[in-house]
Amino acid sequence: MFAYNLRIAIKSLRRHPLLTGVIIAGIALGICASTTFTTVRHMFARDPLPGRSSRIFYVRMDNWDPATPYPDDGGGTNPHHVPPQVAYRDAMELMRSNIPVRQSVMFAANVIVFPEKRAARPYSDRGRMVFSDFFTMFGVPFHYGGPWDRRADAKAEQVAVIDDATNQKLFGGTNSVGKRLRLGTRDFTIVGVLAPWRPFIRMYDVTQNFVQQPEPIYLPFNTAISMEIRPGGNSDGWKPVGPTYRDFLASDVDCLQFWVELRSPTDRASYQTFVDNYVRQEKTKGRFPRPLNNQVTSLLDLLKEIGIVRPAMTAMAVMSILFLIICSLNLTGLLLGKFLSRAPELSVRRALGATRGDIFLQHLIECELVGVAGGVIGMLLSLGVLRFIAKFITATTVISLDPEMILAALFLSLVAGGIAGLYPAWRACKLQPAVQLKV
Amino acid sequence: MLQMNGIKKVYRTELVETHALEGLSLNVGAGEFVSVMGPSGSGKTTFLNIAGLLDVFNGGTYLLDGKDVSRLSDREMSHIRNRNIGFIFQSFNLIPDLHVFDNVDVPLRYRGLAASDRKQRIERAVEMVGLSSRLRHLPSQLSGGQQQRVAIARVLAAEPKLILADEPTGNLDSLMAREIMDLLDDINKQGTTIVMVTHSPECAARASREIHLLDGRVVDVERPPAILESFKPAAQMPSSAAR
Amino acid sequence: MEIGPIVRALTRNRTRVLLIVLQIAITLAVVTNAVNMIATERTKMKQASGFDDDNLLWVFSRPFADSFGDRAFRITTTRSDVRALRTIPGVKSVVNTNFIPWQGGGSSGEVKAAGGDGSSYRTQEYTASPAFTDTLGVKIVSGRNIGEGDINDEPNATTANVIISRGLERLIFKGQSAVGKQFIEPDNSVDTIVGVFDPFYNPYGWPIHEYCLVYPGTVARNGALFLVRVNPGAMKSVSQAVEKKLLSVNDGRNFEMRTISEVRDKYFTEGRIVIMAMTAVIILIVIVTGLGIVGVTSFSVTERKKQIGTRRALGATKSAILRYFLMENWLITNSGVLLGILLAYGLNYLLVTHTSGVKLDWRYLIAGVTLLWVQGIVATLVPAMRAAAVSPVIATRGV
């Protein structure tokens, strides 16, 4: 019976190709718009580190000017008025704690790469200076080798991790672990090569352009300090700083991101106490003049705090869903007209023994057919539109439909087709066989 | 076959109540060929709708093949229509999108028969109406008489016990009308009960019994006019005597 | 024409009418709010920097050669770079500065007015050569510009002659001229204001978009940065010539280049997406709703063919039939519009309270209603004309 109903439905759709086209196009547009904009929003709103994010915390300390609190942009994105980064000397003290399972202070800076090949010109690329725990904490995938060990951190060894693209460029994609890499004035040994890795949100540094691609080169933090590399990116200070690197290290300039991984809420509480105690102790030395204001914020809370989901994205998602509703209403109207204009045929079928259920099923199948056809076309359209938007936002095509969104879109099209078709199908099956027959 | 007793049918609209049938009672025996006549508004259509389980009634009893159908669900009524009743309409009521084979197939589909069984029934029925060469034609490609023959084939394939015909020749010229009436005669002879609503005295005369409706009542069941009776072929007399 | 019978006929087709009414209502709500969002973004994007944005090119020289380890060498090379860039045909002016318009940030610091009430003011702070004003295309409105003689690249200098934006002058000196006044820096060095320039607008993470302080100096520590102002139309030829020209000064470095229009576009990415998306939504909605009206009216024409034929047989003219359908649609549209106005304000309320929405401008509602009227007429016209063409003969036919 289902197969027969399917055949009737297809036949009916093919009988009015223009109407069918209009109906399917309407659903496709609705699905495309709603899928596109909810996906864009979803890209920002989703957990960037599923399973781990609740254990990852960002640490901030208020070492700002006693006269004025750390400024806000007026948009309420820094409710605690705490500097978004920490200073070197404090980071080094915090790193002594053994409460976190893992921890890493870090910064971004450009490094100059000298390719082995004589012909290739040296070039400058983005690097990130981290502790070895960084790779595990943020789930960084390796293709060859792995992170350096903690001893390399302690001894400021000249080891490096490079990303897949750099490995392609410098070593033709072969296993380059153990090979030499000249960076600036020093030679490094490659210990790991990343697998292609493109988190949509560069969650470990949201202080600037957080949709940027992760850095191509990773070096031990202490090694970078020993090379007197200055942090790129934002830096905040309110006190004068001397010109030398030593002056910088001893200053209160906030320019490093500090992350810890804490096992449990208990650990989180004791870590907060640890940070507070450290600041209290520094206060006795005349530092940290402002009231105690230290923030140990979970990754997800931090993303929420800085407003990673832009209000405009929510607005567009709402508008696109309303658009889908319009498309569904439109579909309902057209299907209703179509089904009722077929009343004579339906009366004949009823007279010949079709039950209400048969008629209902036949029409619902027709609705679901257009729903799914529209959904699939809409999703394909959406893929194209998303690529375009992704180019716009990140200069890459990183936004795409994850399985979650594909399922959601298919489900949405089934629901849209179903809801839009329910009423017309019900009306069709309620047609009295006698009333319509020209007897 | 068909026993109606005191059937009432009231159509209600917002403003008026129309009494289409006012206590209609009649019996049709198995194997009979009955014609129902009456002026416009006499309740012929309503009678046929109720007889065919297309519409529900408001009072009285209706036994179809000995079964009380007043309390049946829509689903059960659909099944009875599908298995026991065949309809022949004035305007043929073929489905325009479907070719002959598929049109005849419709009731069989709703009965859920196996494909081979359906094919056999369809081909036999279409052959009986003499349209085997037109299996893949659409209704629009056939003449009126041919369309009505397809409609009859649709009935034949389903092998119902009762055929309800509504002005089966109303839209046809006299030559074609005679062909159709001959076909109905043949079917009746094979034992199928036929109830036919018609305006045409010639057609009505082909039936073994005539029933006249007026204002929703049977006015004269047992009065086939004597003049017409004399024209009837003798061979049909025995069936009119049944019950 | 009487409205009564039309309304009574409509109430008999309640569901179908309701569907169209709802569709029109939501359409009005979405379209007006979409236009409102577009207008809001456009207002933001219209904000002028006050600079010759379209003709500015940002050039960044990243040295890798060891020789750049020496500060004096860096400074002399940077000066040679500026001279070299000026020789490129089509170049109007070149400044060596760490200021980049429209990147959404920059550098900032706090200053106090000497002899003031002691309050500190946060302001954007940049270092630049004297060509800063000429290159950006801003004017010195009082005092004088910084000159070559003001440049002091000594890191431990405790005094400087500076120019400030008029916005900063107003903020700190409240209507008095800033020329000749002094700032005390947090490190107790003293800046003497020699001139005030205008206009200046550069969006920043903090509300200091119009405040700017410019130190005379050479920017060369982590690579040299330049802004190049070109003659209109010369952007392409100049940007092609830059790298070669600078390599001829010193080839121990790489370059990065971006036009300020690109930087600006990137800054307004979100706004541009909103504008494009909402424009698309408006166009598509109008099409979808329009097709919906065409479809539903067509069905109702088909359904009423016999009735129309009867009307024609009874003496209705073609234009009367046409008017009937247009009037019917206009009534439906207006019901939708009434509901839509409520929905539009409701949706706007949600957008304002839950997102960064701006209050709905009633003029967009008027425009939206007009659009729906026009759409209604256009969409009804085709099926209505089909209805008018129905022959009166149909009335006597039996279907």
Side-chain angles (χ1 to χ4, degrees), chain A residues 275-423:
Chain A
V275 177
D276 287 348
N277 285 341
Y278 166 72
V279 171
R280 281 199 193 96
Q281 180 200 323
E282 290 299 294
K283 274 173 180 288
T284 63
K285 299 176 195 160
R287 296 183 63 227
F288 291 94
R290 293 192 63 75
L292 205 60
N293 178 20
N294 304 315
Q295 303 293 330
V296 179
T297 317
S298 78
L299 172 58
L300 291 186
D301 286 344
L302 181 73
L303 296 183
K304 214 171 285 169
E305 206 177 279
I306 63 166
I308 207 157
V309 177
R310 304 281 302 157
M313 291 174 200
T314 310
M316 287 194 289
V318 168
M319 299 290 264
S320 65
I321 287 171
L322 283 173
F323 178 55
L324 177 64
I325 292 178
I326 292 182
C327 291
S328 293
L329 282 173
N330 194 42
L331 182 67
T332 307
L334 292 177
L335 289 175
L336 188 63
K338 185 178 184 198
F339 292 174
L340 293 186
S341 73
R342 193 195 282 167
E345 175 190 327
L346 298 183
S347 324
V348 176
R349 284 188 183 277
R350 291 279 281 133
L352 295 178
T355 61
R356 282 211 181 109
D358 287 328
I359 302 291
F360 186 76
L361 193 64
Q362 172 195 335
H363 290 91
L364 205 61
I365 288 176
E366 189 172 335
C367 300
E368 290 298 2
L369 273 181
V370 294
V372 170
V376 170
I377 295 174
M379 219 154 41
L380 293 178
L381 280 176
S382 170
L383 281 176
V385 177
L386 280 173
R387 285 179 81 88
F388 178 75
I389 293 183
K391 270 251 152 61
F392 234 82
I393 301 182
T394 63
T396 62
T397 52
V398 69
I399 304 184
S400 194
L401 296 175
D402 51 18
E404 220 174 299
M405 285 313 293
I406 290 178
L407 280 181
L410 272 182
F411 178 71
L412 207 60
S413 62
L414 275 174
V415 168
I419 288 184
L422 218 51
Y423 180 73

Side-chain angles (χ1 to χ4, degrees), chain A residues 28-95:
Chain A
L29 288 175
I31 293 288
C32 169
S34 48
T35 308
T36 302
F37 292 111
T38 42
T39 300
V40 170
R41 190 179 182 281
H42 174 71
M43 294 300 293
F44 288 89
R46 72 177 174 187
D47 187 343
L49 217 54
R52 300 188 64 88
S53 53
S54 59
R55 302 200 295 169
I56 307 285
F57 293 85
Y58 190 63
V59 184
R60 288 168 293 178
M61 292 173 281
D62 193 348
N63 62 355
W64 205 246
D65 184 355
T68 47
Y70 184 83
D72 185 7
D73 69 345
T77 57
N78 187 357
H80 305 295
H81 289 274
V82 62
Q85 300 173 102
V86 297
Y88 174 79
R89 53 187 294 191
D90 299 320
M92 287 300 105
E93 290 305 317
L94 292 195
M95 285 289 286

Side-chain angles (χ1 to χ4, degrees), chain A residues 1 3-5 7-8 11-12 15-16 344-345 347-359 362 432-435 437-439, chain B residues 45 48-49 53-55 74-75 78-79 81-82 85 87 89-91 93-99 102-103 105-107 109-110 154 166:
Chain A
M1 211 60 235
Y4 184 55
N5 282 326
R7 231 185 72 195
I8 303 178
K11 201 158 185 130
S12 150
R15 172 134 175 96
H16 304 283
E345 175 190 327
S347 324
V348 176
R349 284 188 183 277
R350 291 279 281 133
L352 295 178
T355 61
R356 282 211 181 109
D358 287 328
I359 302 291
Q362 172 195 335
Q432 273 298 330
V435 177
L437 277 178
K438 181 64 194 159
V439 179
Chain B
T45 303
L48 209 60
N49 279 342
L53 305 187
L54 294 174
D55 205 352
D74 184 84
R75 192 178 175 77
S78 296
H79 284 310
R81 282 202 301 271
N82 185 247
I85 305 176
F87 291 94
F89 306 97
Q90 176 177 4
S91 48
N93 282 351
L94 297 178
I95 296 172
D97 297 350
L98 305 179
H99 52 54
D102 279 350
N103 256 297
D105 192 23
V106 171
R109 283 287 191 168
Y110 291 118
R154 186 165 65 183
D166 176 33

Side-chain angles (χ1 to χ4, degrees), chain A residues 223-295:
Chain A
T223 313
I225 296 293
S226 75
M227 289 167 76
E228 302 204 346
I229 296 177
R230 283 183 188 254
N234 292 342
S235 70
D236 292 300
W238 57 280
K239 272 196 258 184
V241 181
T244 67
Y245 198 73
R246 189 181 289 272
D247 291 334
F248 156 70
L249 293 183
S251 76
D252 276 340
V253 170
D254 301 317
C255 55
L256 309 175
Q257 304 89 45
F258 196 111
W259 292 93
V260 293
E261 182 175 342
L262 300 167
R263 258 169 311 211
S264 63
T266 325
D267 280 0
R268 188 192 171 286
S270 43
Y271 191 74
Q272 175 83 50
T273 313
F274 161 75
V275 177
D276 287 348
N277 285 341
Y278 166 72
V279 171
R280 281 199 193 96
Q281 180 200 323
E282 290 299 294
K283 274 173 180 288
T284 63
K285 299 176 195 160
R287 296 183 63 227
F288 291 94
R290 293 192 63 75
L292 205 60
N293 178 20
N294 304 315
Q295 303 293 330

Side-chain angles (χ1 to χ4, degrees), chain A residues 43-44 46 48 126 139-141 163-164 194-204 209-215 218 390-391 393-400, chain C residues 266:
Chain A
M43 294 300 293
F44 288 89
R46 72 177 174 187
R126 293 178 305 124
V140 184
D163 78 343
D164 181 64
L194 301 189
W197 183 48
R198 179 52 166 110
F200 181 68
I201 300 295
R202 191 182 54 185
M203 63 289 206
Y204 52 79
N209 193 9
F210 46 70
V211 290
Q212 204 177 28
Q213 183 128 8
E215 292 77 4
Y218 300 82
K391 270 251 152 61
I393 301 182
T394 63
T396 62
T397 52
V398 69
I399 304 184
S400 194
Chain C
K266 194 165 156 55

Side-chain angles (χ1 to χ4, degrees), chain A residues 86-205:
Chain A
V86 297
Y88 174 79
R89 53 187 294 191
D90 299 320
M92 287 300 105
E93 290 305 317
L94 292 195
M95 285 289 286
R96 288 178 199 279
S97 167
N98 50 20
I99 301 170
V101 216
R102 298 186 181 84
Q103 56 185 340
S104 175
V105 65
M106 63 182 81
F107 65 91
N110 276 292
V111 290
I112 297 157
V113 182
F114 291 84
E116 288 278 273
K117 285 174 258 170
R118 284 260 161 252
R121 276 178 69 79
Y123 67 95
S124 163
D125 213 341
R126 293 178 305 124
R128 183 154 288 270
M129 317 307 162
V130 297
F131 281 82
S132 60
D133 284 353
F134 161 82
F135 299 99
T136 323
M137 283 169 83
F138 291 98
V140 184
F142 278 85
H143 189 188
Y144 299 117
W148 56 82
D149 54 23
R150 286 186 178 171
R151 209 190 48 192
D153 279 328
K155 297 173 74 182
E157 284 178 9
Q158 281 163 213
V159 289
V161 166
I162 58 176
D163 78 343
D164 181 64
T166 307
N167 192 48
Q168 297 288 347
K169 184 157 61 181
L170 298 182
F171 302 102
T174 59
N175 184 351
S176 58
V177 170
K179 296 225 168 117
R180 272 170 7 121
L181 176 65
R182 172 119 190 265
L183 297 172
T185 50
R186 301 200 201 176
D187 279 334
F188 284 75
T189 308
I190 294 172
V191 294
V193 176
L194 301 189
W197 183 48
R198 179 52 166 110
F200 181 68
I201 300 295
R202 191 182 54 185
M203 63 289 206
Y204 52 79
D205 184 1

